[in-house]
Amino acid sequence: WLMHYAAEQRLACYVVGGCVRDWLLARPVGDIDLVVEGDAIALAEAWTTVWPDQLHTHPPFGTATVSWLDAGALVSLDLISARRESYPQPAALPIVQFARLADDLARRDFTINCLALQLANQPTNVIDPHNGLVDLQRGLIRVLHKRSFIDDPTRILRALRFAARLEFRLEPSTAELLQQGLPWLDQTTPARLWNELGLLLSEPSAFKALSLADEWGVLQQLCGCAWPQALNHQAQCLLPNLPNEQLAISWLLLMSQLSPNAAQAQTKRFGLPKPIRQAVGQWHALATTAAMLNTTLSAGKLDRLLSPFEPLVLQVWASTQTPLVQQQIAYYLQALRPIASQLSGRDLQAQGIKPGPEYKTLLAAARERQLDQFAAENPNLC
Ligand code: ATP
């Protein structure tokens, strides 16, 4: 329908960007971007009157997203009015004007991301005005012009993401331009940086990207920290047990390289959600227990010491500690934490004890005794 309608309206439409790149690399193609030389919103509206799919429009950018369910999965197509962008100052949002496909491709980040295919009835050649096909073959990431990273420093994080994901290298002059662009990261709003950083940390290649970010000086510039090689191994070992926690794991390990105050400041700066902010706070509080955990503790004492901490923080932190600490944390998480306390506040009330601050002490002491008894009865679990 789309092809027929576009031909009828004399609208030239092109599939562009990441989906062409991934199709040529024989990688799974994600969301599809369609550039329209004309009004993309009007085209999307015409589409959804015929096919009642979900429509979201973004008039200031002349873009629209149409989504539908395909075999239970939500698929979306972004329709973009071909546009030209100019940057009023470094790291600022661009000024947008409607234009032709060539202008739209020229505003993009890397040569491998500005390939296009015209939507047509017969097969057509790949449109490649910036020699992206050669770079795709050679495994190179190359910017289109010298000011690219200064205009939009988030492209530094995008370069990292593609380099790690596709196992590509920076073309040498792009590598130099990236170094020159690093100081401009400070001028970019944290929300825009996090938008890209969050994507990077959620990819399967996140830990590789962090190693590269360290090597390229991006981490130092972005949050004043490092990613030592040893953390790669630790992070990889943690993932099988915590498959949905990659972002939290990478952020915690990264923040563990900073002082408690600096780590909290970075976490707040990027506006990370409360559970991650709390996890960063707990990480540093846990560090103060390291000396105690390096001696063998009774089950009750271990439980009392570790119960204020989230299991995720305990697991990630343990991976950075001695075998004895790791053993004690594993014992706490697997054997002690799941045990429900036998004594409750209601029991104390039934015993005629008036509710008050001593409840906490009494309940904690009763739980400690209960767990010590459990450990004595189950020595094989220790
Ligand atoms: P992914 O496979 O992760 O979805 P993608 O290449 O499709 O990667 P998107 O972030 O979805 O990337 O962006 C779509 C396209 O828009 C890119 O291929 C690129 O051409 C362009 N683009 C996105 N962000 C920028 C940017 N900051 N500067 C220039 N072009 C960009």
Side-chain angles (χ1 to χ4, degrees):
W1 179 87
L2 194 63
M3 244 168 347
H4 182 74
Y5 182 82
E8 205 177 84
Q9 300 290 315
R10 296 181 186 284
L11 282 175
C13 296
Y14 305 87
V15 178
V16 293
C19 52
V20 181
R21 175 200 70 217
D22 291 338
W23 174 67
L24 289 165
L25 288 172
R27 294 176 62 90
V29 172
D31 287 346
I32 295 174
D33 291 343
L34 196 76
V35 166
V36 183
E37 279 183 334
D39 189 346
I41 294 182
L43 176 58
E45 281 169 349
W47 172 341
T48 48
T49 50
V50 180
W51 309 94
D53 293 322
Q54 250 181 55
L55 171 69
H56 293 283
T57 59
H58 321 280
F61 294 104
T63 60
T65 305
V66 180
S67 320
W68 65 95
L69 278 174
D70 183 28
L74 192 70
V75 182
S76 46
L77 178 77
D78 286 329
L79 292 101
I80 303 149
S81 307
R83 64 188 199 242
R84 181 185 297 136
E85 287 179 349
S86 54
Y87 289 82
Q89 66 220 34
L93 286 175
I95 296 168
V96 173
Q97 281 172 299
F98 294 120
R100 307 297 303 264
L101 174 74
D103 302 299
D104 194 279
L105 295 180
R107 74 178 170 85
R108 289 170 185 263
D109 48 3
F110 309 117
T111 58
I112 56 166
N113 285 345
C114 46
L115 299 165
L117 270 175
Q118 183 156 15
L119 206 63
N121 283 322
Q122 304 98 12
T124 53
N125 287 335
V126 174
I127 302 167
D128 178 21
H130 302 279
N131 291 327
L133 284 173
V134 176
D135 288 338
L136 206 59
Q137 260 166 4
R138 293 191 185 154
L140 290 180
I141 294 172
R142 184 195 304 266
V143 285
L144 306 195
H145 58 89
K146 284 190 173 158
R147 285 188 56 83
S148 187
F149 290 121
I150 296 176
D151 282 345
D152 181 355
T154 67
R155 291 174 186 159
I156 294 175
L157 300 174
R158 294 178 60 81
L160 275 169
R161 183 148 67 89
F162 295 122
R165 186 205 291 172
L166 305 174
E167 305 202 354
F168 275 25
R169 285 169 298 120
L170 287 180
E171 169 279 324
S173 62
T174 298
E176 261 175 53
L177 294 170
L178 187 143
Q179 289 304 314
Q180 291 163 19
L182 284 180
W184 298 98
L185 282 170
D186 298 346
Q187 311 294 317
T188 313
T189 62
R192 289 185 65 208
L193 290 174
W194 181 255
N195 202 19
E196 282 298 338
L197 196 56
L199 287 176
L200 183 150
L201 296 179
S202 308
E203 295 226 349
S205 54
F207 306 132
K208 181 144 189 261
L210 285 168
S211 294
L212 285 179
D214 195 26
E215 205 180 290
W216 298 358
V218 178
L219 282 183
Q220 193 54 37
Q221 183 75 40
L222 197 64
C223 42
C225 53
W227 181 265
Q229 277 306 316
L231 290 186
N232 261 357
H233 178 67
Q234 259 153 30
Q236 293 293 1
C237 294
L238 280 161
L239 262 191
N241 296 329
L242 299 162
N244 300 321
E245 303 290 355
Q246 183 175 308
L247 192 138
I249 293 173
S250 43
W251 189 251
L252 281 174
L253 289 175
L254 196 56
M255 291 300 101
S256 72
Q257 306 300 303
L258 290 175
S259 70
N261 285 345
Q264 277 299 358
Q266 290 299 340
T267 307
K268 213 167 150 190
R269 167 185 169 222
F270 287 116
L272 296 199
K274 203 167 163 200
I276 297 195
R277 283 212 308 272
Q278 280 172 341
V280 170
Q282 287 200 355
W283 179 285
H284 289 101
L286 246 181
T288 62
T289 69
M292 272 185 275
L293 284 165
N294 262 310
T295 60
T296 308
L297 293 173
S298 71
K301 291 224 161 32
L302 193 59
D303 180 80
R304 198 188 268 226
L305 189 65
L306 297 182
S307 60
F309 299 102
E310 284 297 320
L312 171 71
V313 182
L314 287 171
Q315 270 169 284
V316 182
W317 183 76
S319 74
T320 65
Q321 300 299 308
T322 61
L324 176 60
V325 175
Q326 288 184 12
Q327 250 171 35
Q328 301 211 80
I329 289 182
Y331 176 51
Y332 164 73
L333 286 173
Q334 285 155 28
L336 306 180
R337 194 177 168 101
I339 297 175
S341 295
Q342 279 163 350
L343 194 73
S344 69
R346 224 177 258 159
D347 298 325
L348 292 180
Q349 242 176 335
Q351 287 171 24
I353 304 170
K354 274 208 183 130
E358 71 275 29
Y359 261 43
K360 206 173 157 197
T361 324
L362 290 170
L363 291 172
R367 180 167 172 87
E368 199 171 318
R369 279 195 302 277
Q370 180 192 340
L371 294 183
D372 284 342
Q373 195 182 337
F374 166 85
E377 287 165 4
N378 299 280
N380 54 329
L381 288 180
C382 295

